Amino acid sequence: MGNCRQWSLMLVVVVMEMVDLACDWFFFSQLHQTDDEYVTQNIHLKWLVLAFGVVGIFSFIFEIMNLGFEVFSDRGPCLYADTVSTVTTWVEDVPQICLALTVAIHQRSLIHWIQFVKAAWALMELIVRGVGQCLYCCVISERHSKKLNYCVAVFKFIAQVVILGCTIAVLVHLLK
């Protein structure tokens, strides 16, 4: 059935991913409704945000199912949770924040307050995922190869640095 630690882990991951997904979709809806000149002239931005929102839904479903198998079943996960999280970060989170940065750099005025929420949430998620990655790599992982743990952790760290840089740039452009 699972112990308190397992349920807490699942709850934290589900909440983090759901908030991230909600921010992505709300950002798309606001981008779709805006009459900002840059966005209307570059219609492909809306469709890229939509595409990565869809990728986010599929990655959310897979990540939660995989983590559920890892945490609650005896047969284990399809893939290790840190590997799935790293791939998800590179495939969905990095492109989303890069698109948000592109919009923030070129917009004439604030499109919607969701831009601040999205950037702030990215910072919060970085902190939680960074701590989680360290714990997983050093304590929780059942991999036989510690070198692979560290390799995955380095790729995740690089993605987090990219997200951190883009998030800070988004906030700087929104606040000017």
Side-chain angles (χ1 to χ4, degrees):
M1 187 66 189
N3 61 34
C4 185
R5 181 187 66 83
Q6 292 168 321
W7 281 105
S8 298
L9 174 67
M10 279 299 291
L11 181 64
V12 167
V13 172
V14 167
V15 168
M16 278 183 18
E17 291 300 320
M18 287 180 74
V19 170
D20 182 47
L21 210 57
C23 285
D24 292 345
W25 281 100
F26 197 61
F27 180 61
F28 167 73
S29 74
Q30 295 306 312
L31 202 61
H32 191 68
Q33 295 171 11
T34 188
D35 57 358
D36 184 80
E37 183 180 339
Y38 179 75
V39 175
T40 55
Q41 288 177 353
N42 295 285
I43 193 80
H44 64 280
L45 283 174
K46 294 178 187 180
W47 302 117
L48 284 171
V49 172
L50 174 64
F52 285 109
V54 170
V55 167
I57 288 174
F58 288 117
S59 64
F60 168 77
I61 292 168
F62 181 74
E63 191 170 4
I64 297 306
M65 287 176 49
N66 186 67
L67 186 61
F69 283 129
E70 182 169 353
V71 170
F72 298 115
S73 79
D74 294 334
R75 69 179 190 154
C78 302
L79 296 168
Y80 288 104
D82 63 335
T83 305
V84 173
S85 178
T86 300
V87 170
T88 298
T89 300
W90 277 107
V91 170
E92 192 260 333
D93 292 333
V94 169
Q96 280 282 8
I97 197 68
C98 288
L99 289 168
L101 176 59
T102 302
V103 170
I105 289 171
H106 293 98
Q107 71 190 25
R108 295 200 185 276
S109 62
L110 180 67
I111 291 175
H112 199 269
W113 55 265
I114 191 63
Q115 291 175 282
F116 284 112
V117 173
K118 190 170 173 52
W121 184 255
L123 290 175
M124 176 69 169
E125 193 175 12
L126 278 176
I127 294 166
V128 172
R129 286 195 178 271
V131 170
Q133 186 68 37
C134 290
L135 286 173
Y136 190 89
C137 175
C138 300
V139 179
I140 301 170
S141 178
E142 295 177 0
R143 272 196 194 107
H144 298 294
S145 171
K146 288 294 181 189
K147 288 180 184 177
L148 187 55
N149 277 348
Y150 298 130
C151 183
V152 171
V154 166
F155 282 125
K156 180 73 172 192
F157 178 74
I158 292 168
Q160 289 174 329
V161 168
V162 170
I163 291 171
L164 178 62
C166 288
T167 301
I168 290 170
V170 165
L171 288 171
V172 166
H173 281 283
L174 292 177
L175 293 173
K176 69 176 183 172

